[in-house]
Amino acid sequence: MKKRILIIVLFLICSVGYTQDFLKSRDLSTFKAESLTQSDIEKMDSQLKVQGTSIEQVRALALSRGMNENEFEKLKTRLNRFSNSIKKERLNEGNAILITDKAVTTKVKDTLNRLIFGSELFDNPTLNFEPNLQLATPVNYILGPGDDLQISVYGVQEFDTSVKVSNEGKIDIQYVGQISVSGMTIEAATSKIKNAIARIYSTVSSGQSQVSVNLGSIRTIRITVIGGKQPGNYSLSSLSSVYHALHVAGGPGVNGSYRNIQLIRNNSIIRYIDIYRFLINGDQSDNVGLKDNDVIRIPTYDNRVTIEGEVKRPGIFELKKGETFQDLIYYASGFNDLSYSSSVQVTQKTAKEFKVLDLQKTDFNTYKPQSGDVFKVGKILNRFENKIKISGAVFRPDTYSFYEGMRITDLIKKAEGLKEDAYLQRARILRLKSNLTTEIVDVNIEKAFSGDNSLNLALKKNDEVTIYSILDFKEDFKIIINGEVKIPGEYAYHDNLSLNDVLIQAGGLKESASSKVEIARMINTDVVEAKNTPRVELFTITINPKSNEQAENFILKPFDVINVRKLAVYNVPEQVKVSGAIVHEGNYVLTSKYDKILTIIKRAGGLTPLADLDGIKIKRPVQTQELEDIKTIDLNLGKNDSVHNKVIKKAVLDNKFSVIPIDWRKIMKDANSYDNVTLQSGDEIVINAQSESVKVSGNVLLNSEISFIPGKNIKYYINSAGGIDNKGWMKNAYVIYPNGKAAVTKSFLGIRNTPKVLPGSQVIVPEKPEGRKLSTTELLTVTSVFTSLAGIILGIIRL
């Protein structure tokens, strides 16, 4: 390691000396990293990689020769920057690094000629044909200088030694002497070594001891590649083959041949390598072993052609002399499933221009492609030569094969015959004419099956036959049933459909059904009648509501409308609820449509002594449609409409009921008073108990309940709750009385009249709406207007 570092330091010193004229001195005290050119940096980086070390590892020696610490850091930065840029370029180009015994080579991906058949073999770093050094030594392995042999004698006598084949091709065994083994196979060398040892060790010749010879370490050989993407000298394992060397060199160059590669040994060509043998058939007979000083020469190609279109492996192929277009198709793995193989278009190059040749199938075996030919294999036509189609009222509508002489009945038989609903008087044939326009041909199916061939129409290829169904001509009729049936609605009409059938489909009659059924039937006529002519015919049927099977089975017609009437008197008992300070709380049935609140309270035993006469109200459920109407209704509450609208609407929508305030004192004075409200189903009469407090809520500091003091106004109770908060709207405060009635503050001629507060009331302070501030633009506009007005006024004054 120290020796290697010393070599790197000497290299740096020589480089610096070359750059700054320091050839006669090893003093680096005046070294300047900025003075190095990019070429100098590249040389230093290359040498560091060859020696397997880094710039950091030579820091100590460089500093000991006087190099400034800062200059060393600058040099290190430049070298690292250069190394990173190289790595980035290799990453972008998809490079792969192949490492041999004593060489590092960069494998450049063939992006320029990626369509050349065979180039992918050398772009795959996992397919490198590298020899497996873990296997047993092949018996035909040829020994040479540098090989290490492990020799053992075992048995009665024992002896172990490791010897290396010298540059002269000999090994030296103690007590035995020198033995020449270079150029011999491991098997022959073993026999020779055994005989030599047997002359010294008698037990070997007698068989009492055995001799084993194994290859310890494999030597490195030097080979040369010419014409590759990365030509040069390479140090490889002596077990390496031709394909491994080609892979290390990146394969043939841009114009290199893949089929005429030469293996040169001792200045003679010993083999021509055709990579197509391996690519097409997996034949590795050309993948022979290499020897020291072998040369692999890749000449330029003689004949390259291109095939594109509908073949399984389109690309650029190299052809040998005498090979035909059929051979090219074989190399391209044949035509694909959609190819038009009867004729292939060839674009050829002449001395002046291009020309086109149509190569027929009969010439595939004789036509010899010329270099630069481009073959285009087209697709077959998207049409059929014998297709015919049938659809409609047959058992197997589908596409079938056509043959000359086929008739309409033959096709129907292929489709398993006509269905029961087939319309026999007419079938349609959609036919493609010779000019590719279409025509309609009609045929009578019934007559076609009569046996007369003149009526059994002959078909043509690509005909599309449609067999109509009688159901296609039938209108989709409906009938409607309404009223007192369980499932009213629209039902399909069928022939002989009766009233009984529809009643059963509709789930039967309800308990509320009357004995009267009205059926409306439309009147069909082409005559325009006079004014007031009836549009429908009415039938009144008497039925038995207790039975679904009627005595009179009325047959319906399409579009009849059936109405099952309701019993004249059929009302489920309706109830109201009474709660609060009443003698008998609970539910009460309304005896008539005109029951009023006074009647029900009397039936409930009257009010208790604790009842608040100002706290009686009715809570009435709000229907879904009414809830939708409330969202848009205008309550017309005057000046403060927007605030109170929101409050009252929110109370109704949240609770799903409306409140009807009741003035009980008026009812007690006059039973015919409007306050004696007529009740409805679902109403709840609420009688509040007497209270001695007033609730204060809303935008006040503290929602609380304040003791009632006669004569005190709304402001008193708000102040008692701490006053309004920063969002409170004092002038729009309002009171909700125990019976649900609300009162708001009113103003007349500047005099504010606050509502009276009663025991059990609720004082509510609403939130003040947020006023919109003027934008900068609006503020400038207003200012401009006032300025203009001021100018006008001054002008008038000066007149």
Side-chain angles (χ1 to χ4, degrees):
M1 184 66 186
K2 290 183 179 180
K3 183 178 180 181
R4 181 178 292 178
I5 293 173
L6 181 59
I7 292 172
I8 298 303
V9 173
L10 291 174
F11 167 75
L12 289 174
I13 294 169
C14 292
S15 298
V16 173
Y18 175 79
T19 306
Q20 298 188 352
D21 198 18
F22 288 152
L23 292 173
K24 298 180 180 179
S25 173
R26 294 185 179 182
D27 183 11
L28 300 179
S29 59
T30 59
F31 172 83
K32 297 294 182 184
E34 295 89 346
S35 62
L36 296 179
T37 65
Q38 190 66 18
S39 176
D40 296 331
I41 294 294
E42 186 175 353
K43 290 177 182 178
M44 289 185 184
D45 182 75
S46 176
Q47 188 66 23
L48 286 171
K49 288 179 179 177
V50 169
Q51 297 300 327
T53 188
S54 66
I55 183 64
E56 187 62 36
Q57 290 174 313
V58 298
R59 174 192 289 271
L61 289 175
L63 296 180
S64 67
R65 297 185 180 274
M67 183 180 288
N68 185 276
E69 180 80 28
N70 292 335
E71 293 301 325
F72 182 84
E73 290 298 329
K74 291 178 183 180
L75 176 62
K76 177 181 174 183
T77 301
R78 290 194 62 181
L79 284 169
N80 288 339
R81 188 181 299 133
F82 174 78
S83 179
N84 291 335
S85 66
I86 294 297
K87 289 180 182 178
K88 187 175 181 181
E89 289 175 6
R90 291 177 181 174
L91 181 61
N92 292 337
E93 295 174 3
N95 293 345
I97 304 300
L98 297 178
I99 302 177
T100 61
D101 293 338
K102 294 186 178 180
V104 178
T105 59
T106 303
K107 184 176 175 299
V108 180
K109 188 172 182 179
D110 190 353
T111 57
L112 180 63
N113 290 312
R114 63 184 179 276
L115 292 179
I116 296 177
F117 179 62
S119 63
E120 69 277 6
L121 184 67
F122 304 105
D123 287 338
N124 187 354
T126 61
L127 185 65
N128 56 19
F129 303 96
E130 189 173 3
N132 187 353
L133 302 181
Q134 304 302 319
L135 296 177
T137 305
V139 293
N140 61 347
Y141 176 77
I142 305 299
L143 294 173
D147 284 335
D148 186 22
L149 297 179
Q150 303 289 335
I151 302 173
S152 296
V153 177
Y154 56 92
V156 175
Q157 292 179 299
E158 292 186 355
F159 172 73
D160 289 296
T161 186
S162 175
V163 293
K164 181 173 288 188
V165 181
S166 67
N167 294 335
E168 291 77 23
K170 298 179 181 180
I171 59 173
D172 189 358
I173 305 175
Q174 188 177 12
Y175 306 126
V176 175
Q178 291 186 347
I179 304 173
S180 178
V181 295
S182 180
M184 300 179 66
T185 65
I186 188 72
E187 186 177 28
T190 300
S191 178
K192 187 174 183 179
I193 293 170
K194 183 177 180 181
N195 292 334
I197 293 177
R199 290 196 295 269
I200 305 301
Y201 295 89
S202 59
T203 56
V204 172
S205 58
S206 64
Q208 293 177 307
S209 298
Q210 302 295 324
V211 178
S212 69
V213 179
N214 295 303
L215 195 62
S217 60
I218 299 173
R219 72 184 183 279
T220 298
I221 62 174
R222 296 278 291 177
I223 61 103
T224 302
V225 179
I226 303 172
K229 288 196 188 76
Q230 295 171 290
N233 297 320
Y234 292 91
S235 296
L236 305 176
S237 164
S238 58
L239 293 177
S240 296
S241 63
V242 171
Y243 285 179
H244 176 54
L246 288 173
H247 197 276
V248 170
V254 174
N255 296 316
S257 172
Y258 284 75
R259 309 198 60 191
N260 195 31
I261 300 172
Q262 302 169 358
L263 176 58
I264 302 173
R265 184 172 296 162
N266 298 325
N267 299 322
S268 299
I269 300 174
I270 66 168
R271 194 177 192 94
Y272 288 94
I273 292 111
D274 186 350
I275 296 177
Y276 278 26
R277 292 196 189 105
F278 174 71
L279 293 172
I280 301 297
N281 302 315
D283 182 358
Q284 293 199 59
S285 58
D286 285 338
N287 191 21
V288 296
L290 296 174
K291 291 187 177 182
D292 200 23
N293 296 319
D294 276 355
V295 176
I296 298 175
R297 178 179 176 271
I298 305 173
T300 59
Y301 68 86
D302 291 326
N303 186 0
R304 270 187 191 171
V305 298
T306 301
I307 186 168
E308 56 190 35
E310 304 306 314
V311 291
K312 294 178 182 176
R313 185 159 48 191
I316 301 171
F317 293 84
E318 183 180 344
L319 298 180
K320 284 186 173 182
K321 185 177 181 180
E323 290 185 325
T324 65
F325 177 72
Q326 190 62 50
D327 296 315
L328 175 61
I329 291 297
Y330 175 69
Y331 296 148
S333 298
F335 296 105
N336 66 23
D337 298 335
L338 298 177
S339 64
Y340 175 66
S341 58
S342 295
S343 177
V344 174
Q345 183 190 92
V346 186
T347 301
Q348 296 180 330
K349 297 177 183 177
T350 66
K352 293 182 179 180
E353 55 192 358
F354 293 97
K355 73 175 183 178
V356 175
L357 173 69
D358 293 326
L359 185 63
Q360 303 302 319
K361 189 172 185 177
T362 55
D363 299 325
F364 286 0
N365 283 319
T366 57
Y367 179 77
K368 296 178 181 179
Q370 301 174 15
S371 186
D373 281 0
V374 177
F375 297 87
K376 294 182 180 178
V377 181
K379 278 187 178 181
I380 58 174
L381 298 176
N382 187 19
R383 57 190 294 178
F384 294 85
E385 64 178 22
N386 67 336
K387 183 184 80 167
I388 195 164
K389 184 178 180 182
I390 186 170
S391 60
V394 291
F395 284 103
R396 292 190 180 276
D398 209 335
T399 299
Y400 294 93
S401 62
F402 168 80
Y403 58 86
E404 289 297 332
M406 177 183 276
R407 296 184 178 274
I408 185 72
T409 55
D410 298 327
L411 180 59
I412 291 174
K413 289 176 183 177
K414 277 195 169 190
E416 300 292 342
L418 298 168
K419 294 173 71 174
E420 294 80 0
D421 61 328
Y423 180 68
L424 302 179
Q425 278 66 47
R426 184 185 295 271
R428 187 190 74 171
I429 301 174
L430 181 64
R431 179 162 292 168
L432 188 68
K433 295 195 294 185
S434 58
N435 61 357
L436 299 183
T437 60
T438 56
E439 64 176 344
I440 297 293
V441 179
D442 294 324
V443 59
N444 189 307
I445 299 298
E446 189 173 26
K447 291 181 179 179
F449 277 96
S450 66
D452 187 351
N453 268 350
S454 63
L455 301 174
N456 190 6
L457 192 67
L459 299 175
K460 295 183 179 181
K461 71 173 184 178
N462 296 318
D463 278 354
E464 295 184 9
V465 180
T466 302
I467 307 296
Y468 297 112
S469 167
I470 58 175
L471 301 178
D472 296 335
F473 311 120
K474 188 174 181 181
E475 189 176 350
D476 190 16
F477 296 136
K478 301 289 183 181
I479 61 98
I480 297 174
I481 183 168
N482 297 317
E484 301 305 300
V485 291
K486 293 178 182 176
I487 313 174
E490 189 177 72
Y491 292 88
Y493 172 81
H494 307 283
D495 292 341
N496 297 320
L497 183 69
S498 69
L499 177 61
N500 284 349
D501 297 327
V502 178
L503 289 175
I504 295 299
Q505 279 187 275
L509 298 168
K510 289 184 177 180
E511 187 70 23
S512 58
S514 74
S515 60
K516 299 296 181 183
V517 176
E518 183 181 84
I519 300 172
R521 179 170 296 164
M522 67 178 183
I523 298 175
N524 299 325
T525 179
D526 287 333
V527 180
V528 180
E529 300 291 345
K531 190 177 181 180
N532 296 326
T533 301
R535 297 181 179 179
V536 296
E537 184 180 2
L538 294 178
F539 301 90
T540 301
I541 307 297
T542 301
I543 62 172
N544 178 10
K546 304 299 181 182
S547 173
N548 289 321
E549 300 296 330
Q550 305 304 321
E552 184 178 356
N553 195 9
F554 187 85
I555 302 301
L556 300 173
K557 290 189 176 181
F559 305 113
D560 280 356
V561 178
I562 306 166
N563 283 294
V564 181
R565 302 301 180 194
K566 187 177 181 180
L567 289 171
V569 178
Y570 186 86
N571 294 313
V572 177
E574 299 176 335
Q575 298 184 75
V576 296
K577 183 179 180 181
V578 183
S579 61
I582 190 78
V583 175
H584 300 293
E585 287 187 291
N587 295 331
Y588 290 84
V589 175
L590 297 176
T591 58
S592 73
K593 294 182 179 180
Y594 307 105
D595 277 355
K596 297 183 179 292
I597 185 173
L598 179 60
T599 306
I600 298 300
I601 287 180
K602 285 181 178 180
R603 286 171 60 188
L607 306 177
T608 66
L610 297 177
D612 183 359
L613 301 184
D614 295 317
I616 301 174
K617 58 188 175 184
I618 298 174
K619 292 169 65 176
R620 178 161 293 170
V622 180
Q623 303 301 321
T624 304
Q625 184 57 47
E626 292 175 329
L627 287 172
E628 295 298 323
D629 294 340
I630 287 171
K631 294 178 181 179
T632 58
I633 195 171
D634 184 0
L635 299 180
N636 194 22
L637 297 177
K639 182 178 179 180
N640 301 322
D641 179 55
S642 61
V643 178
H644 302 305
N645 253 332
K646 292 180 181 178
V647 174
I648 296 173
K649 286 181 182 180
K650 186 176 185 304
V652 174
L653 295 172
D654 288 349
N655 297 290
K656 302 295 188 297
F657 61 82
S658 59
V659 176
I660 303 175
I662 301 298
D663 191 334
W664 185 251
R665 290 184 175 83
K666 286 185 179 181
I667 295 175
M668 295 302 296
K669 289 180 181 179
D670 183 6
N672 295 321
S673 169
Y674 290 116
D675 281 270
N676 194 10
V677 175
T678 300
L679 299 174
Q680 296 180 7
S681 177
D683 283 354
E684 180 182 0
I685 304 171
V686 179
I687 299 98
N688 291 318
Q690 295 176 6
S691 175
E692 296 182 353
S693 62
V694 175
K695 291 182 180 179
V696 183
S697 60
N699 289 89
V700 293
L701 293 180
L702 181 65
N703 291 337
S704 55
E705 199 165 331
I706 310 300
S707 297
F708 174 75
I709 301 176
K712 294 295 183 180
N713 62 12
I714 188 173
K715 188 174 182 180
Y716 165 78
Y717 293 102
I718 293 174
N719 289 336
S720 298
I724 64 173
D725 60 18
N726 57 353
K727 293 185 179 180
W729 203 359
M730 181 66 178
K731 69 177 183 178
N732 284 302
Y734 57 93
V735 178
I736 299 178
Y737 294 109
N739 65 353
K741 191 173 183 179
V744 298
T745 302
K746 297 181 180 179
S747 179
F748 180 72
L749 297 177
I751 301 174
R752 297 177 69 247
N753 184 19
T754 59
K756 184 179 179 181
V757 180
L758 298 177
S761 298
Q762 183 176 3
V763 176
I764 299 176
V765 179
E767 182 179 337
K768 186 184 297 183
E770 293 184 4
R772 189 176 71 86
K773 295 181 180 180
L774 291 177
S775 66
T776 304
T777 303
E778 292 172 333
L779 188 61
L780 290 173
T781 302
V782 172
T783 305
S784 177
V785 170
F786 277 112
T787 302
S788 300
L789 289 174
I792 294 171
I793 294 171
L794 288 173
I796 295 172
I797 293 173
R798 291 174 180 175
L799 292 177

